[in-house]
Amino acid sequence: MAQDSLLISALNACRATLRAFIRGRTAVREDADDILQEVTYKLMQVEQPVENVAAWLFKAARNEMTDRARKKRELPFGDLFNGSDEEDFPEDELAETLFGVPQTPEDDYLKTLLWDELEQALAELPAAQREVFEKTELLDYSYNQLAEEMGVSVQTLLSRKHKAVLYLRTRLRSLYDELTAE
């Protein structure tokens, strides 16, 4: 009990500095808050006494940020086109055009054009890459489900999809550039 109160008082003493340290090294505020919470939780779980709580917290925060940076995150196809650069492919426009209900004849034409171009680009992919992309993006398969069906590892599927997305991004970029040219 006495150990817990000492940990809490030490944590409170360096909490603001630790929060600033984490926020300065993470791009998303929610991630920084999650890291701070995770580090606090880990501190409470420590069974052996911690001599320098502040040093332990900063080291644990650095380790947590490193672990999160190393963790591979699978992004939806559209997220790869989303960014702050004006050159980036806007996810909202692509999703709206491909999956939205056309409001005008021009929207309908554009939707048909994009689907045709996507189908052509998919046809150019190796069969394994195409299958992974279509099933995970268009048919809502989970990676585990697809891995079991195809008899390969999830890592293999992720690799195939990554290659497919890179190719499709490059391939569809020229169409987007043509359509948005002023």
Side-chain angles (χ1 to χ4, degrees), residues 5-169:
S5 64
L6 289 174
L7 286 177
I8 291 171
S9 61
L11 175 64
N12 288 335
C14 67
R15 188 177 200 86
T17 309
L18 181 61
R19 178 178 281 125
F21 172 79
I22 295 169
R23 283 192 181 153
R25 287 161 178 77
T26 56
V28 180
R29 183 180 180 138
E30 289 79 21
D31 287 347
D33 293 339
D34 289 347
I35 291 168
L36 180 62
Q37 184 177 9
E38 184 67 26
V39 168
T40 302
Y41 176 74
K42 285 179 181 178
L43 178 64
M44 296 302 156
Q45 300 302 314
V46 172
E47 293 181 9
Q48 52 193 328
V50 176
E51 289 183 30
N52 186 342
V53 175
W56 188 96
L57 286 168
F58 281 88
K59 183 174 183 164
R62 268 192 298 279
N63 291 344
E64 182 68 22
M65 287 183 280
T66 301
D67 289 347
R68 286 174 182 240
R70 286 182 182 157
K71 183 186 283 185
K72 289 186 178 181
R73 295 188 179 149
E74 181 64 26
L75 298 174
F77 179 61
D79 286 354
L80 294 173
F81 298 117
N82 191 16
S84 58
D85 258 346
E86 289 180 14
E87 289 183 13
D88 288 331
F89 205 112
E91 172 194 13
D92 294 338
E93 286 182 48
L94 179 65
E96 180 71 27
T97 304
L98 289 174
F99 302 110
V101 176
Q103 302 296 320
T104 65
E106 291 83 14
D107 290 346
D108 191 37
Y109 171 75
L110 185 57
K111 181 176 186 171
T112 302
L113 179 69
L114 283 174
W115 273 111
D116 289 346
E117 195 68 27
L118 179 59
E119 286 173 8
Q120 286 177 356
L122 286 170
E124 296 167 4
L125 287 172
Q129 290 178 18
R130 178 182 177 151
E131 183 177 10
V132 172
F133 180 85
E134 287 178 339
K135 287 186 175 180
T136 58
E137 285 297 322
L138 304 175
L139 301 176
D140 241 3
Y141 276 62
S142 73
Y143 285 100
N144 290 332
Q145 179 184 11
L146 189 56
E148 187 176 313
E149 179 183 301
M150 295 178 72
V152 297
S153 71
V154 171
Q155 192 62 37
T156 299
L157 295 177
L158 291 172
S159 176
R160 289 176 183 172
K161 182 171 176 190
H162 177 72
K163 290 174 184 175
V165 168
L166 291 177
Y167 175 78
L168 292 171
R169 181 178 191 186

